[in-house]
Amino acid sequence: EGKAISTPLSVQGAVFARDSLAKAVYSALFDWLVAAVNKKSCGAASRSQSSVARFIGVLDIFGFEILAVNSFEQLCINYTNELLQEHFNEMVFESEVVLLQREGLDAVQIHLSDNGPRLRLLSTLFARLDDQQRNRLADDAVFLRSVKKASQEHPE
């Protein structure tokens, strides 16, 4: 008790230690958040639908990935893939239909699931998280208010 251990580090070592600590904190926060959402979601599902559990899934260009635990890094990967999928859908499907219609040809309307609102919400949350880590006066309460405001701006 009361002892301090000091380990001299090079600049590169200090940067690595800092980044490792930040990753561990974000990972723990993400795991806690997922557990809290699952607890609320599954608790409500178990009362209303005894044999069917609710889940949130985002299909990316490579399909669903079934992982026992998703990390913050996996969320970022899936988010990026979903942005690519949205761009792909716009460029390939939607623009092709417009082109066919312009040429007077019958175009089959393709109805794709629109994840735009979820992507905009995640974009907003990532931007606010980024702002928080840059602000020395930021704290959990400030970030929570920011997240609540973002969820009100994106009610979808």
Side-chain angles (χ1 to χ4, degrees), residues 7-146:
T7 305
L9 296 172
S10 65
V11 172
Q12 183 180 8
V15 167
F16 180 78
R18 178 204 62 201
D19 292 350
S20 295
L21 177 62
K23 181 179 176 182
V25 169
Y26 278 121
S27 180
L29 176 63
F30 182 77
D31 292 346
W32 173 84
L33 182 62
V34 168
V37 168
N38 284 340
K39 183 178 178 183
K40 292 286 186 180
S41 297
C42 292
S46 64
R47 288 190 294 275
S48 62
Q49 305 164 334
S50 58
S51 64
V52 179
R54 294 181 188 179
F55 75 97
I56 299 171
V58 176
L59 179 63
D60 65 32
I61 56 180
F62 302 109
F64 280 106
E65 295 181 56
I66 307 299
L67 303 171
V69 175
N70 279 304
S71 64
F72 181 70
E73 291 87 354
Q74 189 62 45
L75 173 67
C76 293
I77 290 166
N78 289 346
Y79 166 73
T80 302
N81 286 342
E82 195 61 32
L83 288 173
L84 290 170
Q85 180 68 49
E86 182 181 55
H87 179 72
F88 177 83
N89 289 347
E90 288 174 9
M91 297 309 296
V92 173
F93 297 117
E94 295 173 15
S95 63
E96 192 66 24
V97 168
V98 170
L99 177 66
L100 291 172
Q101 289 172 339
R102 239 186 293 154
E103 293 178 358
L105 301 170
D106 288 334
V108 175
Q109 289 294 338
I110 301 170
H111 300 285
L112 302 170
S113 177
D114 181 17
N115 285 324
R118 289 162 208 79
L119 292 173
R120 285 188 296 280
L121 175 60
L122 281 172
S123 292
T124 300
L125 293 177
F126 285 150
R128 292 188 180 186
L129 183 60
D130 195 40
D131 290 344
Q132 287 295 303
Q133 66 89 21
R134 290 183 183 153
N135 184 351
R136 292 178 186 229
L137 300 176
D139 60 17
D140 295 346
V142 171
F143 182 64
L144 180 60
R145 282 193 302 275
S146 178

